[in-house]
Amino acid sequence: MDIQNKRISNDEFFKERQEVLAQWPTGKDVDLEEAVAYHKAMPESRKFGKKLLDAKRDGRTLVQPRAGVPVVEEHIKLMQYLEKYGEADLLPSTIDSYTRQNRYEEAENGIAESIRLGRALMNGFPAVNHGVAKCRQVIESVSLPMQVRHGTPDARLLTEITYAGGFTSYEGGGISYNLPYCKNIPMERTIKDWQYVDRLTGLYEEMGVSINREPYGPLTGTLVPPCISHAAAIIEALLAAEQGVKNITVGYGQCGNLRQDVAAIRTLEELTDEYLHKYGYDDVQVTTVLHQWMGGFPADEAKAFGVISMGSLIAALSKATKVIVKTPHEAVGIPTMEANAEGLRCTKQVINMYADQILSSDKVDLEKEIIRQETRCIVDKCFELGNGDIAVGVCRAVQAGVLDVPFAPCRANAGLMLPCRDNDGAIRILNVGNLPFNKDLIDFHTSKIEERAKAENRKASFQMVVDDVYAIGKGRLVGRPKY
């Protein structure tokens, strides 16, 4: 499949759009001009991108949950509860797994069975099946901005329906919704499908409606070095900007070391701005999101609140524009709405207490510089592999292991790079694989891991990785053998 980082022409887009809207009957209700008018008539309080930019200007961190159930009326109750009792600043509609795989017939059956049995039989909100009118019913039931959160490799129809339905923010991208989620879908396919999503977003922008786009930051969520998630976010931001997107939120998943996590959020916005300006996208507004811990959680709710509080502290000290909040039920399954609200209130309390405090130290600055160097090595190599075209370059980079996501299920991913923690709990790289690092960076990682190995009186090995994966679930950050 031929791809390039070039804005899709209107002729090409609208030809493809006919096929996209025909994928499920609710597509016939999408009218672009009518949808734009609907967005323009919305109150300012429901506009996601504006609320993010206001928070960035004021130095505030907004809190947002994950949540979604299949039946519209129950989804509305959930959103209203999180707005009122969770004190959320932003709201999601997390999409179900059938929709994520474009299995709309099965989603239809899931809705019917959920209604018949009076309980949710799906893990999210099937927006494509519900269609434009019911999405608007959800949007109008609350006063807060709403975002679509999902995990869909081919999200074109979902985007059309939810944009027309009034959602003002949309998560995902051709890298971040492929490598962590898929097994056999080629990178070229997801890059192309997400160019459609971003071009649709660009069309709304050109018609006077700004919709926020958010690459999925945590990737696999387990021991992902900042440079890997940063590189993916920057590349997805560049791909989106080429299609006309003007409001982008780049994300990062909490790793657990305070200094490294604060440095990561602070460099993420800086580096994204750097590359956008370098390649001529000077009118894109960038904000940041921290995802609270995405790995295994303690089953004990009190201990889970400790993990949530740590993520809240990092969000506050790093001045992330928003934080995606976890719940004390993470270890056992889908949370109740009460548990979801508890996680939000816990996070908001910590953020409010640290809102006026600033973390600054030489060690944070060192981490920032390491992250800058590593990220530039990866992104610049992607451009080189694509002969200047980042869409081509990132596909070749994934195949070559230049961009290598740890523990990703996708067969396209090289899986050569291996991370683990250093003696202070920061994420380092045990096996560099084919990451395009210079000798100084490789030596830095080797020395940090050897320092830990010496302290633990063992050799640096894969066992460290295993120990680190399970550590937080056992109440620690670093997987020490004595614990």
Side-chain angles (χ1 to χ4, degrees):
M1 178 182 293
D2 291 331
I3 59 166
Q4 56 181 324
N5 187 33
K6 181 180 179 182
R7 182 168 296 191
I8 303 171
S9 70
N10 282 351
D11 287 347
E12 181 184 351
F13 177 83
F14 284 105
K15 180 181 178 182
E16 182 177 350
R17 190 168 188 257
Q18 291 179 340
E19 300 173 5
V20 169
L21 294 178
Q23 290 176 0
W24 189 252
T26 52
K28 72 180 186 305
D29 298 324
V30 176
D31 181 314
L32 182 58
E33 291 187 358
E34 187 274 339
V36 166
Y38 179 80
H39 277 266
K40 288 182 176 179
M42 269 187 194
E44 294 293 294
S45 64
R46 291 201 185 118
K47 296 180 179 177
F48 210 101
K50 182 183 185 305
K51 191 157 188 176
L52 287 171
L53 294 174
D54 288 346
K56 177 180 175 179
R57 179 198 63 213
D58 298 338
R60 293 180 291 114
T61 299
L62 306 175
V63 302
Q64 178 183 346
R66 291 179 173 86
V69 292
V71 178
V72 171
E73 292 76 15
E74 295 303 314
H75 190 66
I76 287 172
K77 287 179 186 177
L78 175 58
M79 295 298 105
Q80 290 175 337
Y81 189 92
L82 296 176
E83 178 179 22
K84 182 176 181 180
Y85 297 105
E87 302 176 17
D89 298 307
L90 304 161
L91 289 172
S93 282
T94 301
I95 304 301
D96 68 287
S97 295
Y98 289 138
T99 302
R100 297 178 200 182
Q101 299 301 318
N102 312 110
R103 291 157 59 180
Y104 307 125
E105 286 279 2
E106 289 163 275
E108 194 75 14
N109 293 335
I111 296 168
E113 284 298 289
S114 296
I115 293 171
R116 185 177 71 85
L117 296 174
R119 59 187 177 89
L121 295 181
M122 299 162 69
N123 63 345
F125 181 74
V128 168
N129 293 72
H130 286 313
V132 173
K134 289 185 178 180
C135 283
R136 290 183 182 182
Q137 190 179 341
V138 172
I139 294 295
E140 292 166 11
S141 71
V142 293
S143 62
L144 299 177
M146 295 198 69
Q147 179 185 49
V148 181
R149 306 191 69 84
H150 48 123
T152 313
D154 177 4
R156 294 172 296 168
L157 181 58
L158 178 64
T159 316
E160 288 278 9
I161 286 174
T162 53
Y163 280 9
F167 287 85
T168 52
S169 179
Y170 199 79
E171 185 192 33
I175 305 166
S176 59
Y177 273 3
N178 182 333
L179 300 183
Y181 285 93
C182 306
K183 184 177 181 181
N184 293 316
I185 301 178
M187 279 288 299
E188 291 84 356
R189 178 74 264 167
T190 54
I191 293 291
K192 186 171 178 58
D193 287 343
W194 278 85
Q195 285 178 319
Y196 179 101
V197 170
D198 288 326
R199 185 67 201 115
L200 179 63
T201 313
L203 284 172
Y204 272 86
E205 187 77 44
E206 290 159 20
M207 297 172 77
V209 173
S210 186
I211 295 177
N212 171 257
R213 281 281 292 109
E214 180 188 323
Y216 177 62
L219 301 177
T220 49
T222 303
L223 301 180
V224 178
C227 62
I228 300 295
S229 54
H230 279 28
I234 290 165
I235 293 167
E236 288 191 353
L238 290 166
L239 292 168
E242 175 62 25
Q243 300 301 330
V245 177
K246 304 295 184 188
N247 190 298
I248 296 174
T249 301
V250 283
Y252 167 78
Q254 173 193 350
C255 286
N257 177 276
L258 181 62
R259 291 192 299 267
Q260 187 178 46
D261 284 343
V262 169
I265 286 290
R266 292 181 181 178
T267 53
L268 179 56
E269 182 177 338
E270 170 196 322
L271 286 165
T272 304
D273 278 330
E274 175 185 315
Y275 276 93
L276 286 168
H277 290 304
K278 181 177 180 179
Y279 290 94
Y281 307 110
D282 296 321
D283 56 351
V284 178
Q285 296 169 306
V286 177
T287 50
T288 56
V289 51
L290 174 78
H291 295 251
Q292 290 181 354
W293 179 247
M294 295 292 291
F297 255 70
D300 183 284
E301 289 189 23
K303 293 180 179 180
F305 275 119
V307 178
I308 292 168
S309 296
M310 181 65 173
S312 309
L313 175 66
I314 290 164
L317 293 178
S318 66
K319 303 299 179 186
T321 318
K322 73 170 182 176
V323 56
I324 302 295
V325 176
K326 287 303 192 82
T327 81
H329 287 182
E330 295 298 327
V332 295
I334 297 173
T336 63
M337 64 182 182
E338 291 83 3
N340 211 326
E342 287 172 355
L344 285 165
R345 292 198 303 273
C346 171
T347 296
K348 201 153 198 177
Q349 177 70 19
V350 175
I351 285 173
N352 287 343
M353 290 192 299
Y354 283 90
D356 299 318
Q357 301 187 44
I358 298 173
L359 176 68
S360 181
S361 72
D362 292 342
K363 290 187 177 180
V364 172
D365 291 339
L366 173 62
E367 288 292 344
K368 288 169 70 175
E369 185 53 33
I370 291 293
I371 292 168
R372 289 188 193 105
Q373 290 182 33
E374 293 171 341
T375 303
R376 289 175 184 139
C377 283
I378 295 170
V379 176
D380 291 348
K381 189 67 175 180
C382 289
F383 272 102
E384 180 185 325
L385 289 171
N387 298 316
D389 189 306
I390 195 62
V392 176
V394 71
C395 295
R396 292 174 178 171
V398 168
Q399 185 177 26
V402 167
L403 179 63
D404 196 350
V405 178
F407 316 115
C410 183
R411 287 179 174 174
N413 190 69
L416 300 174
M417 185 273 291
L418 199 60
C420 70
R421 296 189 184 277
D422 68 13
N423 205 42
D424 297 320
I427 305 295
R428 306 301 179 197
I429 298 174
L430 177 66
N431 184 350
V432 173
N434 290 336
L435 297 184
F437 287 176
N438 58 39
K439 184 177 183 301
D440 287 344
L441 287 173
I442 294 172
D443 289 346
F444 171 80
H445 285 275
T446 300
S447 66
K448 284 291 185 179
I449 293 171
E450 286 298 329
E451 182 182 301
R452 172 184 169 184
K454 183 177 180 181
E456 295 177 357
N457 194 30
R458 61 170 169 170
K459 292 183 178 180
S461 70
F462 181 71
Q463 187 59 46
M464 284 182 172
V465 183
V466 175
D467 293 341
D468 288 343
V469 167
Y470 291 104
I472 283 185
K474 296 178 178 180
R476 304 289 300 181
L477 178 61
V478 182
R480 309 281 189 195
K482 61 183 176 181
Y483 297 108

